[in-house]
Amino acid sequence: MHLKANLRTALAVATALWALPCDAFTPMPRSAAVASRSSVRRFASLDKSKSAAELNLEAERLRLQAGRLRLEVQQAELEKSQQLLAKALGSAGERTEKQVIEANQRFIEAFRDKSISKMKKLWCHRSHAVLTHVGKPMIRGIDAVCTSFHNAFRGASIDSVEVKDERVVALSSQIGVVTCTMEIKGGNYDAKSSWVTTNVFNYDEREQRWLLVEHHSSPVLFPAVPPKVEQE
């Protein structure tokens, strides 16, 4: 008899909890609380003629339903966390990619014009500006970066700069990475050299624009080797 009474009580409570709406665990007005207690009393008056086996089956069914609801809550919490993470990291679209390409084009223009003033405006002026020239140690900081470009421009003859294979290879709302090949002609267009270039841009929230944080380039010394196709 005690077993049946305990099972009926557990069944009544579980059924009442299962019947509650999704917002039942938020603070509720007094009228809603009274209605909830009424539901418990109503479910407590279940048919007393049910056997212990039937009550066990009903309790198991409610336990499974409660487990399913817990999984749904966990899934909703996971989706919310994913949304917050996506918002923090940001996402990028075609408009953002176009802005990064435009920022890279401004770098090419400053390089072609050998303009330190233009070049300086393109760079992030915080300490993480990084420049790598061939055969030289890594250069850090906006002042050192501008000095290095000034020394490079002083002895360079640049008549034109043509950009090939320009593409954004990595992009988020905060970071954009552009690779391209710079075809440089100088010496009254008699000399020509190719430079494989990587530029990394960061979106500056204060200035509301993309700024260069890293530049690396290497001369192309050997012709491209076509990929080898294996014979089946």
Side-chain angles (χ1 to χ4, degrees):
M1 295 296 291
H2 290 295
L3 174 61
K4 286 188 176 182
N6 291 337
L7 288 172
R8 280 196 293 271
T9 301
L11 175 61
V13 173
T15 306
L17 290 174
W18 174 71
L20 291 175
C22 295
D23 58 352
F25 298 100
T26 59
M28 62 176 66
R30 179 178 177 80
S31 59
V34 173
S36 178
R37 288 195 294 270
S38 299
S39 298
V40 174
R41 287 194 295 270
R42 184 171 67 254
F43 284 109
S45 61
L46 292 171
D47 186 1
K48 298 181 180 180
S49 64
K50 287 187 176 181
S51 66
E54 290 174 325
L55 291 174
N56 276 330
L57 289 174
E58 188 71 11
E60 180 65 15
R61 182 180 68 82
L62 292 175
R63 186 186 68 80
L64 293 174
Q65 289 178 342
R68 184 186 65 188
L69 291 174
R70 284 196 298 270
L71 290 176
E72 291 177 355
V73 170
Q74 292 173 357
Q75 178 67 24
E77 292 176 346
L78 177 60
E79 291 176 355
K80 184 176 181 180
S81 298
Q82 290 174 337
Q83 291 173 359
L84 292 174
L85 179 61
K87 184 178 180 180
L89 294 177
S91 59
E94 293 181 0
R95 182 170 177 268
T96 305
E97 183 171 351
K98 180 181 177 182
Q99 292 171 349
V100 174
I101 290 293
E102 290 172 348
N104 194 65
Q105 289 292 326
R106 287 192 289 271
F107 168 81
I108 300 298
E109 178 184 346
F111 191 93
R112 181 183 61 242
D113 296 343
K114 298 195 293 184
S115 173
I116 295 300
S117 60
K118 288 182 180 180
M119 185 66 71
K120 191 171 184 178
K121 292 177 182 179
L122 301 175
W123 282 81
C124 176
H125 285 208
R126 292 188 290 277
S127 59
H128 56 264
V130 177
L131 173 65
T132 304
H133 283 313
V134 178
K136 294 184 178 181
M138 187 175 295
I139 299 168
R140 298 181 182 273
I142 185 60
D143 292 334
V145 165
C146 289
T147 298
S148 182
F149 272 113
H150 174 75
N151 293 334
F153 291 159
R154 185 171 54 186
S157 173
I158 301 175
D159 297 321
S160 68
V161 178
E162 182 181 356
V163 177
K164 294 183 178 180
D165 196 26
E166 184 181 34
R167 64 182 66 184
V168 177
V169 296
L171 182 63
S172 72
S173 64
Q174 299 295 320
I175 296 295
V177 182
V178 182
T179 61
C180 64
T181 299
M182 298 170 58
E183 301 282 357
I184 303 174
K185 292 182 179 180
N188 294 324
Y189 298 91
D190 291 333
K192 179 181 177 180
S193 61
S194 298
W195 295 75
V196 177
T197 301
T198 300
N199 284 331
V200 180
F201 296 89
N202 173 245
Y203 187 77
D204 192 291
E205 296 288 350
R206 293 179 298 182
E207 297 194 27
Q208 296 292 298
R209 63 192 183 100
W210 291 89
L211 296 176
L212 193 58
V213 293
E214 199 274 341
H215 166 78
H216 177 271
S217 60
S218 298
V220 178
L221 302 178
F222 304 96
V225 178
K228 183 179 180 181
V229 179
E230 295 184 359
Q231 299 292 335
E232 294 184 359

